[in-house]
Structures are given as structure tokens and as C-alpha cells.
Amino acid sequence: MTLTRRDLDKLLWPLLGGLALLLLAAGSAWWSYGDWQGAQRERDAAATRKQRIEQHLGQARGEEQELKERARLFQELQQSGIAGPERRLEWIELLRDLQHRLRIPGLNYEFGPRQPLYQNGSDFVYFASPVRLQLRLVHEEDLLRILASLQSEAKALVLIRQCTLAPLDNRGAGNDLAQLSAECELSWVTIDRP
């Protein structure tokens, strides 16, 4: 089969129509691809925004948890007496009670002036009240028991700075059973507003 000029004239319009439809299909495909890419960009941007929002939400939840934990800790510190004003009268009563309860033959104490230790940039300051204890003891264990009792029962954080223990010169003189003397320097730490 051979094509003649006349056959080509007859096929011209259908070929031009087919070419036009092909161009229309290619244009539609190109336009659809552009829309698809735009939708992909929007989806990616939305996913990024969602991720940022979830990250901020996670941070907010973490900060909320931290604030709750700090509030709980502060309430515990207030209940234990570490946070708030100094309670020297309670400390003196505790020392007298421990002397009688633990049967310490002699106990003298001297509280020094309260001094600021550290301010961590918040509304609260750490204060230390120096305390000097002079003890007359029957046994070395008495010193360990009274220091442990002070640390567990005092309405403050009791830090032991230094203790010296020495035998007494007049051991067992009179009714006194004391065999040792001890001198300790303590710091009673509290937290309060400046």
C-alpha cells in the first residue's frame, strides 16, 4: 500500500487532531505533576509543622512534669523544716531531747549567726547556721548516735564539718560516767527568701 498526496491530505486533519490531543494530554500530565508536587510540598510542610508542634508539646509536658516535681520537692522541704525560717527553738529542744534520750552525760551547744551560703538565681537563698557542740561521752558510739539522730530528726540539713574526740583527764570522777570529750562543728542549712 502506497500513500499518495491525496491520502495524506485526507489524514492531515485526523493527524493534527491526534497531535492536538497528544499535546493536550501532555499539558494535562505536566499540570497534574505540578499540582502533585505542590501537594507534596504542602504535605511535607504540614508534617514539619506537626512535628514542631509535637516537639513543643513534649517540651511543655516535660516542663510541667519538672514544675510538679519541684513543687513536690519544695513541699517536702517545707514539711521537713529545711525550707522556711530558721527554727532555733525546735533545734534547741531537739538537742535537749537527744541528750536525755541517748543518755549523754554532758552537752553544751552554741549557735552562730545565720549566714547566706548560696543564691541560685531564684527567689530563695541557702543559709547556714554554724553550731558548736561540746559533748561528754561514755563511749565513741554515743557521738555517732547523736550525730545520726541530729541528721535524721533536725528541721534542717545538718552538715558535719569537723569533730574531735579525746579522752577525759578526770575519767569517772564522781557520779559522771563520761570517759571522752568531743567537740564538733556543724552547719545547719536552711532555704529561705532573702
Side-chain angles (χ1 to χ4, degrees), residues 29 35 50-51 69 71-72 80 87 89 97 99 113 148 173 184:
D35 278 353
K50 178 186 172 204
Q51 185 178 11
E69 180 63 25
R72 185 194 60 77
S80 70
R87 299 177 179 178
L89 183 58
D97 178 56
Q99 180 181 7
C184 294

Side-chain angles (χ1 to χ4, degrees), residues 45-179:
T48 303
R49 282 193 307 270
K50 178 186 172 204
Q51 185 178 11
R52 266 191 261 135
I53 289 169
E54 286 176 348
Q55 187 178 19
H56 289 307
L57 182 61
Q59 271 183 322
R61 284 182 181 154
E63 289 171 4
E64 177 187 19
Q65 235 7 65
E66 185 180 343
L67 286 174
K68 284 181 182 178
E69 180 63 25
R70 284 184 181 190
R72 185 194 60 77
L73 178 62
F74 186 72
Q75 285 177 343
E76 286 178 13
L77 289 174
Q78 278 184 320
Q79 290 170 355
S80 70
I82 293 174
E86 246 185 352
R87 299 177 179 178
R88 286 194 183 205
L89 183 58
E90 289 181 26
W91 298 348
I92 291 168
E93 290 172 357
L94 175 64
L95 286 169
R96 288 181 183 160
D97 178 56
L98 287 176
Q99 180 181 7
H100 293 296
R101 193 171 14 140
L102 299 176
R103 297 187 180 119
I104 305 295
L107 182 132
N108 293 320
Y109 52 85
E110 180 184 332
F111 284 92
R114 184 180 190 199
Q115 301 168 348
L117 276 180
Y118 171 72
Q119 185 169 4
N120 61 359
S122 70
D123 293 341
F124 295 93
V125 178
Y126 292 87
F127 290 96
S129 299
V131 180
R132 179 179 295 233
L133 286 181
Q134 295 173 332
L135 304 156
R136 292 168 33 96
L137 306 166
V138 177
H139 193 271
E140 296 92 348
E141 187 178 342
D142 292 339
L143 176 63
L144 299 176
R145 284 194 335 231
I146 195 165
L147 292 176
S149 296
L150 280 175
Q151 287 183 321
S152 65
E153 297 177 33
K155 301 268 185 199
L157 175 64
V158 179
L159 302 176
I160 302 166
R161 298 290 181 199
Q162 170 182 327
C163 277
T164 56
L165 190 64
L168 282 172
D169 292 336
N170 56 350
R171 291 185 200 166
N175 291 341
D176 192 0
L177 299 174
Q179 301 289 317

Side-chain angles (χ1 to χ4, degrees), residues 11-42:
L11 290 176
L12 180 64
W13 288 110
L15 285 176
L16 287 176
L19 183 61
L21 288 175
L22 187 60
L23 288 174
L24 183 64
S28 295
W30 179 74
W31 181 71
S32 296
Y33 181 72
D35 278 353
W36 177 78
Q37 282 184 328
Q40 289 287 87
R41 282 192 297 273
E42 286 179 21

